[in-house]
Amino acid sequence: DAGVIQSPRHEVTEMGQEVTLRCKPISGHDYLFWYRQTMMRGLELLIYFNNNVPIDDSGMPEDRFSAKMPNASFSTLKIQPSEPRDSAVYFCASSTLAGPSGANVLTFGAGSRLTVL
Amino acid sequence: AQRVTQPEKLLSVFKGAPVELKCNYSYSGSPELFWYVQYSRQRLQLLLRHISRESIKGFTADLNKGETSFHLKKPFAQEEDSAMYYCALSGAYSGGYQKVTFGIGTKLQVIP
């Protein structure tokens, strides 16, 4: 398994543009998480899904952010319109209850570094 | 509410010196604690978890419920230990997912 796959790795866009980040979790994992990493706030959970259903989106900063998981192998995080303060690294992670470590041990993707000018 | 505090954003030590990365937590129930590490240009990955009671790459961490701490220690720092370290907390595993909260992270810099 190639692990959690995220794209794009780097995105530079202008304020006001729509940004879509993509994630493919590990096959068989039933939990998917979106985190945002910044110097000031560290790693913040934005939203997580269980079996493709959003469970907790209380970390989504505002309505400009939305996330979907149309099937077990794909999720998107969308920012529309983007603002400079959205610049950060966005991580996707997945986990499974079925593993020996349970769902609390996360496997992370490489991250998508977003810069909004 | 659950909270993880890592008081140091940057910790610099000389090669061969002991390392202690501090982590304190706040949680009303029975916690599970983790350390994750992110080496330069690599993915964030699990380093160790308290229930495993393992030593990984020479690192150990003991859960101290009295002091609500889970400090990460290594007796002799190596240059390859330079990385970003995150302490994380969840509720004790009970057959379902328990929300994982991360600290702000500590950057460890080992000076040759």
Side-chain angles (χ1 to χ4, degrees), chain A residues 4 31 33 35 37 39-43 48 91 97 101-106 108-110, chain B residues 9 32 34 36 38 43-44 46 49 86 90-91 93 95-100 102-104:
Chain A
V4 177
Y31 286 87
F33 308 85
Y35 280 87
Q37 182 188 45
M39 291 286 290
M40 293 302 296
R41 301 171 72 93
L43 271 170
Y48 81 91
F91 286 101
L97 279 175
S101 301
N104 298 345
V105 175
L106 310 181
F108 283 84
Chain B
K9 280 199 171 183
E32 183 167 6
F34 312 81
Y36 282 78
Q38 187 177 25
R43 301 176 183 214
L44 192 63
L46 179 69
R49 55 195 305 206
Y86 289 94
S90 74
Y93 180 58
Y97 170 71
Q98 304 287 324
K99 181 179 177 181
V100 180
F102 286 82
I104 199 167

Side-chain angles (χ1 to χ4, degrees), chain B residues 48-64:
Chain B
L48 56 78
R49 55 195 305 206
H50 88 271
I51 63 171
S52 301
R53 297 184 180 276
E54 303 175 289
S55 173
I56 305 293
K57 299 185 179 184
F59 284 99
T60 59
D62 292 318
L63 178 59
N64 186 322

Side-chain angles (χ1 to χ4, degrees), chain B residues 4 11 19 28 33-34 38 58 67 87 92 96 104:
Chain B
V4 176
L11 179 65
V19 176
S28 57
L33 276 298
F34 312 81
Q38 187 177 25
E67 296 183 358
C87 183
I104 199 167

Side-chain angles (χ1 to χ4, degrees), chain B residues 69-99:
Chain B
S69 68
F70 188 58
H71 303 328
L72 184 66
K73 300 178 183 179
K74 185 170 183 177
F76 307 105
Q78 303 298 314
E79 288 181 66
E80 55 266 30
D81 297 328
S82 294
M84 194 75 177
Y85 291 81
Y86 289 94
C87 183
L89 161 76
S90 74
Y93 180 58
S94 58
Y97 170 71
Q98 304 287 324
K99 181 179 177 181

